[in-house]
């Protein structure tokens, strides 16, 4: 049949008419979003704008000529060993929920500071970890709901359910100054729960 009909071609029988082809054309087009100007996280932070890529860290960590030196990494209870192998059990037993870690760098001195932000679930969890890190000589300071003490290369403190460690790569005045600035920035983290248990209030205020 193929051999006998090779030249017996009837377009009306075996082809689709141009009219039908025109009707079958898709009217759907790919959406091409408009171009937007590139805005760096540091530039957005300078204007006080919300920067989703920085969360849960406040935008103020990028003030004073400091910019991001790493992406924000998040660790859960199962992956915490990747970040702090030796200390992981201590954090987990205090109600650990998650850890966010980021590094900022000074554009002037090229110094770097790492910020570890632990979500310990509640106020009791952050207080427990904070007390574990205190020494007998530590001078506890309070600023806008943040309790902290300074170290030679940073600061350690807590606010609400969050515990944080600020660790610089050098023992310099600029690192210490930025560390205190970071403490002030972290004051914008969620504070104490409005439903603080009576026993916790008694422990932290009356005693």
């Amino acid at each position: 049949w193929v051999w006998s009909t090779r030249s017996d071609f009837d377009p009306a029988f075996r082809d689709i008419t141009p009219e039908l082809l025109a009707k079958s054309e898709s009217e759907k087009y790919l959406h091409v979003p408009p171009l937007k100007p590139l805005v760096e996280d540091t530039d957005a932070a300078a204007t006080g704008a919300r920067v989703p890529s920085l969360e849960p860290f406040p935008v103020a960590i990028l003030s004073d000529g400091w910019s991001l030196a790493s992406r924000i990494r998040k660790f859960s209870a199962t992956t915490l060993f990747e970040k702090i192998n030796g200390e992981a059990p201590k954090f987990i037993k205090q109600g650990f929920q998650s850890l966010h870690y980021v590094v900022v760098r000074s554009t002037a001195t090229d110094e770097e500071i790492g910020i570890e932000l632990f979500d310990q679930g509640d106020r009791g969890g952050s207080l427990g970890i904070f007390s574990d890190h205190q020494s007998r000589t530590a001078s506890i300071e309070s600023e806008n709901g943040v309790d902290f003490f300074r170290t030679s290369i940073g600061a350690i403190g807590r606010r609400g359910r969050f515990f944080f460690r600020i660790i610089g790569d050098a023992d310099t005045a600029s690192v210490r100054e930025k560390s205190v600035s970071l403490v002030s920035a972290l004051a914008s983290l969620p504070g104490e729960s409005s439903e603080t248990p009576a026993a916790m209030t008694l422990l932290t205020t009356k005693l």
Side-chain angles (χ1 to χ4, degrees), residues 8-160:
D8 184 12
F9 178 69
D10 183 0
F13 179 70
R14 278 183 279 178
D15 262 11
I16 300 176
T17 63
E19 292 78 10
L20 289 177
L21 286 173
K23 289 182 179 180
S24 66
E25 288 183 357
S26 174
E27 296 181 358
K28 297 180 181 179
Y29 299 94
L30 292 176
H31 172 68
V32 180
L35 295 176
K36 297 181 180 180
L38 176 64
V39 178
E40 296 290 344
D41 290 342
T42 305
D43 298 333
T47 63
R50 174 176 171 270
V51 183
S53 61
L54 277 178
E55 294 178 351
F57 294 97
V59 297
I61 66 172
L62 300 183
S63 61
D64 308 320
W66 290 71
S67 60
L68 285 180
S70 74
R71 63 183 178 85
I72 294 178
R73 301 180 64 190
K74 180 179 179 180
F75 300 87
S76 64
T78 57
T79 61
L80 188 58
F81 289 91
E82 300 175 10
K83 178 67 177 65
I84 47 174
N85 189 20
E87 296 183 282
K90 178 171 65 175
F91 284 94
I92 292 175
K93 74 178 181 180
Q94 294 285 353
F96 171 81
Q97 301 293 315
S98 62
L99 161 66
H100 287 83
Y101 176 75
V102 71
V103 177
V104 295
R105 178 186 294 125
S106 170
T107 55
T109 64
D110 210 34
E111 296 167 327
E112 293 186 348
I113 296 178
I115 311 171
E116 299 174 342
L117 183 61
F118 296 83
D119 184 346
Q120 295 299 133
D122 55 28
R123 183 185 183 189
S126 68
L127 278 170
I129 293 299
F130 184 56
S131 62
D132 284 347
H133 283 75
Q134 293 178 34
S135 65
R136 295 181 179 179
T137 59
S139 178
I140 308 301
E141 303 178 48
S142 294
E143 178 182 336
N144 297 327
V146 179
D147 301 319
F148 71 100
F149 60 89
R150 309 182 190 211
T151 68
S152 60
I153 55 173
I156 295 175
R158 59 161 298 277
R159 173 175 169 79

Side-chain angles (χ1 to χ4, degrees), residues 154-205:
I156 295 175
R158 59 161 298 277
R159 173 175 169 79
R161 68 179 192 271
F162 295 100
F163 167 78
F164 61 83
R165 296 194 298 189
I166 300 171
I167 306 170
D169 64 352
D171 183 0
T172 63
S174 58
V175 167
R176 289 190 291 271
E177 180 181 349
K178 179 58 179 178
S179 298
V180 175
S181 175
L182 290 173
V183 169
S184 299
L186 294 175
S188 64
L189 292 170
E192 314 293 1
S193 171
S194 58
E195 299 180 358
T196 303
M200 182 61 68
T201 302
L202 176 64
L203 176 66
T204 57
T205 59

